[in-house]
Amino acid sequence: MWVIFTASGFSNSASAQEDIKKSLQQKIRKHKESNKSQRDTTYVNLLYQLGMQYAQYNLDSLLVISNESIKLSKSMRYPKGEAQGYIIEGLYYSNIGKQDRAISYFKKSVSLAIINSETNLLLESKIKLAAEYKYKEDYANALKHYLDAIEIAKIYNNEVYLSKCYLNISAIYRVQKEYEQTISFLSKSLEINEFSNDEVQVGKTLNNLTACYIEMGDLDSASTSIDRAISIFEKVKLDSWLAYAYELKGSIHTKKGQYNQALQWLSKSEKIHANIDKGRYKIPLYNNLAKTYLALKTMIRQKITL
């Protein structure tokens, strides 16, 4: 029954993501057929939306889209599109582990966004840039750019990005095991998201709260938050965050010594990861799977010995 359930759930989730991509591809095709794409900002904006979809599933296409977006935007003098292209290109290099190149593209996007007063794009670029510094374990620079983004978001009353900043900055404190600060920023993010009824951001915040609670050893709080997160991500069909939620659920069972249950949840996460082109997020999953298999093998040996 479990195998049937997970296969069906994954199929629905993948199908939802595929529908979004097909809709964007259809719109882009219509623009190309109209022969207006070379001077149409709508076309360039659609490329950006498609690129953000490909960021998880198809890195080769991501690079093609970013190059086309940058080239077209330069030719039509559309700095917003050029900045969007740099974000997509930065994501490509980020996802293949080339942090320095990713940082250079995110910096280009930041500069263009500042010059052309594109506030949302500036905030998006700042968050991506900060995250890249975090991947490099350069926490001072990561913190600087997150704090910059928080101040900008406050000035423009942009609660969507303010919430994202709080969510992302909490990860820096969590890595450094400053759990009180971590929970403080996550609580701020959760409060904003619940007030605005933003289910996706609520789910993301709950995932991060769960990870923090697991590290603190508060497994009861972790269980409560992750169950709520899973119900959200299964409903909205957001693959990458659902995979992470399943992994966290498995980790809770591992911590409790419930290895069979842990394996079920980790395997569900692995099924989704098979269709996600983000290697860095597979590493902790495989580490958890390895620990769980080892624990199960040890239990079997002990029973045989007895």
Side-chain angles (χ1 to χ4, degrees):
M1 285 296 294
W2 171 77
V3 173
I4 294 170
F5 168 77
T6 54
S8 173
F10 172 67
S11 175
N12 289 338
S13 183
S15 175
Q17 296 292 330
E18 194 61 33
D19 287 345
I20 294 171
K21 285 188 287 184
K22 284 181 179 178
S23 174
L24 287 168
Q25 288 166 343
Q26 187 176 27
K27 290 177 182 178
I28 287 171
R29 195 177 303 114
K30 286 182 179 179
H31 274 279
K32 281 189 172 182
E33 289 171 356
S34 70
N35 295 319
K36 293 191 296 184
S37 62
Q38 295 293 325
R39 50 187 170 80
D40 191 348
T41 59
T42 301
Y43 174 77
V44 176
N45 293 336
L46 285 169
L47 285 178
Y48 176 63
Q49 293 175 45
L50 185 61
M52 296 303 279
Q53 287 296 316
Y54 277 133
Q56 296 182 62
Y57 300 99
N58 192 322
L59 293 183
D60 291 335
S61 294
L62 191 65
L63 189 59
V64 172
I65 288 172
S66 65
N67 289 335
E68 183 179 4
S69 182
I70 293 166
K71 181 180 177 182
L72 283 175
S73 296
K74 283 182 175 179
S75 69
M76 58 199 287
R77 296 182 181 178
Y78 182 44
K80 179 181 177 180
E82 188 179 347
Q84 290 174 163
Y86 290 139
I87 288 177
I88 298 171
E89 189 125 357
L91 287 173
Y92 170 78
Y93 286 108
S94 173
N95 288 331
I96 64 171
K98 294 188 176 181
Q99 266 70 60
D100 289 334
R101 291 200 70 174
I103 285 170
S104 70
Y105 282 108
F106 293 141
K107 281 183 174 179
K108 288 181 179 181
S109 181
V110 166
S111 297
L112 278 172
I114 291 172
I115 292 168
N116 295 279
S117 301
E118 291 286 349
T119 307
N120 283 0
L121 209 53
L122 173 59
L123 288 166
E124 187 70 32
S125 304
K126 277 277 187 182
I127 289 173
K128 294 287 189 293
L129 179 58
E132 217 55 40
Y133 278 119
K134 181 173 71 72
Y135 294 141
K136 287 190 68 177
E137 298 183 0
D138 183 351
Y139 300 125
N141 265 318
L143 191 58
K144 174 187 178 299
H145 288 288
Y146 280 137
L147 291 174
D148 284 350
I150 285 172
E151 289 307 308
I152 295 165
K154 284 181 177 178
I155 289 169
Y156 290 95
N157 295 316
N158 192 323
E159 292 202 334
V160 171
Y161 275 100
L162 186 58
S163 163
K164 288 182 179 180
C165 289
Y166 287 150
L167 178 64
N168 282 281
I169 205 170
S170 70
I172 296 176
Y173 288 110
R174 197 186 109 211
V175 167
Q176 299 178 88
K177 302 188 185 301
E178 296 181 32
Y179 298 124
E180 188 175 332
Q181 285 278 48
T182 303
I183 291 174
S184 173
F185 278 103
L186 287 172
S187 297
K188 289 178 181 179
S189 177
L190 189 60
E191 184 180 354
I192 292 171
N193 296 327
E194 288 185 323
F195 182 77
S196 59
N197 293 317
D198 189 336
E199 275 197 308
V200 171
Q201 287 301 115
V202 166
K204 290 179 180 180
T205 308
L206 289 169
N207 265 9
N208 283 274
L209 270 170
T210 300
C212 184
Y213 286 136
I214 290 171
E215 290 180 19
M216 292 171 66
D218 185 353
L219 299 184
D220 288 338
S221 295
S223 295
T224 300
S225 57
I226 201 58
D227 286 344
R228 187 180 169 200
I230 287 172
S231 68
I232 290 171
F233 291 126
E234 286 182 340
K235 182 169 68 174
V236 300
K237 314 297 183 186
L238 193 56
D239 284 349
S240 58
W241 284 90
L242 180 58
Y244 184 37
Y246 286 159
E247 180 190 336
L248 289 168
K249 182 75 171 179
S251 296
I252 293 168
H253 283 296
T254 300
K255 292 283 186 182
K256 291 181 176 180
Q258 299 167 342
Y259 301 115
N260 283 308
Q261 294 97 317
L263 186 58
Q264 289 179 355
W265 288 101
L266 293 172
S267 297
K268 289 172 76 169
S269 179
E270 187 180 26
K271 283 179 181 291
I272 299 176
H273 269 293
N275 204 42
I276 297 176
D277 200 1
K278 281 193 172 183
R280 71 161 65 97
Y281 297 129
K282 291 180 171 68
I283 295 170
L285 170 64
Y286 289 140
N287 281 336
N288 279 336
L289 277 166
K291 289 176 185 177
T292 304
Y293 279 122
L294 181 61
L296 281 169
K297 187 175 181 181
T298 302
M299 286 176 62
I300 292 169
R301 282 179 174 175
Q302 289 174 343
K303 286 181 180 179
I304 292 173
T305 303
L306 292 173

